[in-house]
Amino acid sequence: METGQPLYLNLFSEDKIQVLEELLHACVDEICGRPGPSYHRFTSSIDWSREEYEETYKLISMLLRNPACLYLTEEKMPQEYHDLPEHIQQSILTCLKVRRDQLTNALLKECSKEKHETLVDFDWRLKLVMGSSKLASLREPLLQLDLMIENKEKKRILGLELNKDELETFINAVETIVK
């Protein structure tokens, strides 16, 4: 297989720029956690081998995952970007401009997961405790809160049961963290 600029000139000539844009956006979708590109999706658009597809996919994915590309300035782009033809560079910049916020959030989330536990979702249930073995008529509302937390290795659920005062304290603590 050829490597370098001739491969991209052959695969993404000016008349196939629409396919390049579709591949770029599919790669951004994948970085953002949605289904990404597949060989079968693009094989009918451009006649290329699996090896050519994989090489192209790796390059585009690497470029889009590079935080320097989010500055959208030519000077800060990696060398692989400058090795590409002008029309491909413009398509990459256009995609980055359109999807910059989504890509930034996804890359920050990915980086955060590698170093820290991250809250990804939550579920809650409100229950009214009518009584217990100690008190016949308690009538206390309790919030059961499940926090879905993940890090690089695993996902886990942290279950909390909070009364009204504990819930207010929890909300105040989360608001302080967000600010």
Side-chain angles (χ1 to χ4, degrees):
M1 177 183 89
E2 296 178 45
T3 57
Q5 193 166 343
L7 169 68
Y8 305 108
L9 282 174
N10 294 336
L11 296 179
F12 294 118
S13 57
E14 305 240 1
D15 60 323
K16 299 285 188 179
I17 205 73
Q18 200 69 23
V19 178
L20 171 62
E21 291 172 0
E22 187 180 337
L23 180 61
L24 285 166
H25 286 283
C27 287
V28 172
D29 286 343
E30 182 178 58
I31 293 169
C32 293
R34 293 184 289 277
S38 68
Y39 172 70
H40 298 292
R41 179 174 166 190
F42 291 98
T43 191
S44 62
S45 304
I46 293 182
D47 188 29
W48 53 11
S49 69
R50 182 173 285 280
E51 189 178 7
E52 290 171 326
Y53 167 79
E54 291 295 329
E55 192 67 28
T56 306
Y57 165 75
K58 284 178 190 174
L59 173 74
I60 290 173
S61 189
M62 182 271 305
L63 283 172
L64 293 174
R65 287 181 185 278
N66 189 332
C69 292
L70 297 174
Y71 288 110
L72 302 177
T73 58
E74 297 269 336
E75 302 83 41
K76 295 185 180 184
M77 291 296 208
Q79 185 59 42
E80 294 86 359
Y81 170 82
H82 294 289
D83 293 341
L84 297 171
E86 181 67 28
H87 68 280
I88 295 176
Q89 290 179 8
Q90 288 306 311
S91 293
I92 292 171
L93 276 179
T94 302
C95 178
L96 285 169
K97 285 177 185 174
V98 170
R99 307 284 301 269
R100 182 180 182 188
D101 291 339
Q102 294 172 339
L103 204 50
T104 302
N105 290 339
L107 293 174
L108 284 172
K109 186 177 178 182
E110 195 174 279
C111 180
S112 176
K113 281 183 192 176
E114 288 183 18
K115 298 182 182 189
H116 307 286
E117 290 189 327
T118 305
L119 176 67
V120 290
D121 202 3
F122 67 94
D123 190 17
W124 61 274
R125 292 167 302 288
L126 186 60
K127 296 189 175 188
L128 183 62
V129 177
M130 299 301 285
S132 70
S133 60
K134 295 179 184 175
L135 294 170
S137 61
L138 187 58
R139 294 190 158 226
E140 180 182 11
L142 288 178
L143 180 78
Q144 288 187 327
L145 181 62
D146 292 333
L147 304 174
M148 286 60 144
I149 299 171
E150 68 181 28
N151 61 16
K152 191 175 179 181
E153 292 90 32
K154 62 180 178 173
K155 293 181 182 181
R156 67 184 180 101
I157 296 176
L158 177 64
L160 303 172
E161 190 170 87
L162 307 167
N163 64 25
K164 188 176 179 180
D165 295 332
E166 293 167 335
L167 179 59
E168 286 181 25
T169 305
F170 179 78
I171 291 171
N172 290 335
V174 170
E175 285 177 345
T176 342
I177 292 170
V178 172
K179 291 179 185 178

